[in-house]
């Protein structure tokens, strides 16, 4: 068989892969044309600005919910890590179209990298997220699991108050992030 010969037989596996690629390209085209990808990116960028002290585009004023000792810089850092983890997790869970959830998460991390390069570099190694992923998979009371992971990452002696603080942060973040995702009115696409 020479290079110029036409291949007549295509395996089912090859055909299936080609169909998946065509479908993915078509999905991107449709979601870009109807504005969904841009909406997902704006959502991700907004979620990158969540702050625990009320000064971001999206803010959680935790001062109404947590004692002053939770506003030490090292604890605020851990709160911010938990907020980013909550944002990524809820984007993945609440936006079932992978093209859109990926666009939102990518935009969130791009903005984080731009606005807080040191913070981004620290979280991009994934160490803290590993504990939150384990908590997510643990089963049982999710907020309790997240609170325990938070307390462990804060490395404190008074663990119970930090577990409760982590639960509070998680619950407030979930509520806020779900509302932000609901505000985005993605265009429905029928396939």
């Amino acid at each position: 068989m020479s290079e110029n010969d036409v291949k007549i037989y295509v395996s089912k596996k090859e055909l299936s892969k080609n169909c998946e690629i065509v479908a993915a390209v078509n999905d991107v085209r449709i979601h870009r044309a109807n504005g969904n990808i841009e909406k997902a990116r704006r959502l991700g960028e907004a979620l990158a600005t969540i702050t625990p002290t009320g000064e971001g585009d999206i803010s959680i004023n935790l001062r109404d919910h947590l004692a002053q000792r939770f506003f030490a810089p090292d604890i605020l850092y851990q709160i911010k890590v938990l907020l980013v983890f909550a944002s990524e997790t809820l984007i993945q869970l609440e936006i079932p179209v992978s093209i859109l959830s990926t666009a939102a998460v990518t935009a969130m991390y791009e903005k984080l990298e731009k606005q807080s390069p040191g913070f981004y570099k620290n979280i991009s190694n994934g160490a803290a997220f590993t504990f939150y992923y384990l908590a997510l998979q643990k089963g049982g009371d999710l907020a309790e699991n997240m609170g325990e992971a938070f307390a462990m990452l804060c490395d404190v002696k008074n663990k119970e108050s930090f577990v409760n603080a982590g639960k509070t942060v998680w619950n407030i973040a979930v509520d806020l992030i779900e509302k932000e995702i609901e505000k985005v009115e993605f265009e429905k696409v029928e396939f």
Side-chain angles (χ1 to χ4, degrees):
M1 191 185 270
S2 73
E3 289 179 18
N4 296 332
D5 291 341
V6 176
K7 186 176 181 180
I8 297 174
Y9 172 77
V10 178
S11 72
K12 285 184 182 180
K13 185 177 179 181
E14 245 184 308
L15 186 59
S16 176
K17 186 175 181 179
N18 288 343
C19 288
E20 288 174 20
I21 292 169
V22 169
V25 169
N26 193 44
D27 287 353
V28 170
R29 184 186 59 74
I30 290 168
H31 286 290
R32 181 172 286 128
N34 69 14
N36 282 348
I37 289 178
E38 182 57 32
K39 290 176 185 179
R41 290 193 54 76
R42 282 195 310 264
L43 171 67
E45 290 171 353
L47 290 175
T49 69
I50 291 179
T51 63
T53 54
E55 63 264 343
D57 292 346
I58 300 173
S59 61
I60 299 175
N61 191 351
L62 293 175
R63 294 190 191 283
D64 297 339
H65 303 280
L66 300 176
Q68 187 58 37
R69 72 177 176 273
F70 295 106
F71 294 92
D74 55 332
I75 306 304
L76 279 174
Y77 171 83
Q78 292 301 335
I79 290 172
K80 181 69 175 169
V81 170
L82 182 53
L83 293 174
V84 171
F85 180 80
S87 294
E88 180 180 343
T89 300
L90 287 161
I91 287 169
Q92 298 293 345
L93 291 173
E94 301 285 328
I95 303 175
V97 178
S98 66
I99 293 164
L100 301 180
S101 60
T102 299
V105 169
T106 300
M108 180 180 74
Y109 283 116
E110 286 172 353
K111 179 135 186 180
L112 277 173
E113 185 176 23
K114 247 185 229 171
Q115 72 184 14
S116 306
F119 176 76
Y120 173 80
K121 185 177 179 183
N122 286 341
I123 63 168
S124 64
N125 77 17
F129 277 18
T130 299
F131 294 103
Y132 289 125
Y133 283 122
L134 291 171
L136 197 59
Q137 296 170 354
K138 188 176 179 181
D141 184 340
L142 182 56
E144 182 76 22
N145 297 345
M146 291 298 170
E148 288 173 4
F150 174 78
M152 196 252 345
L153 288 164
C154 289
D155 193 29
V156 292
K157 292 181 177 28
N158 184 0
K159 183 181 175 193
E160 191 59 35
S161 67
F162 278 79
V163 170
N164 288 330
K167 285 169 51 175
T168 298
V169 171
W170 176 259
N171 287 329
I172 291 171
V174 166
D175 185 54
L176 178 71
I177 295 163
E178 283 179 341
K179 287 178 181 166
E180 290 299 319
I181 292 170
E182 287 173 11
K183 283 183 197 176
V184 180
E185 296 179 3
F186 290 112
E187 299 297 321
K188 300 281 188 245
V189 176
E190 299 294 326
F191 292 101

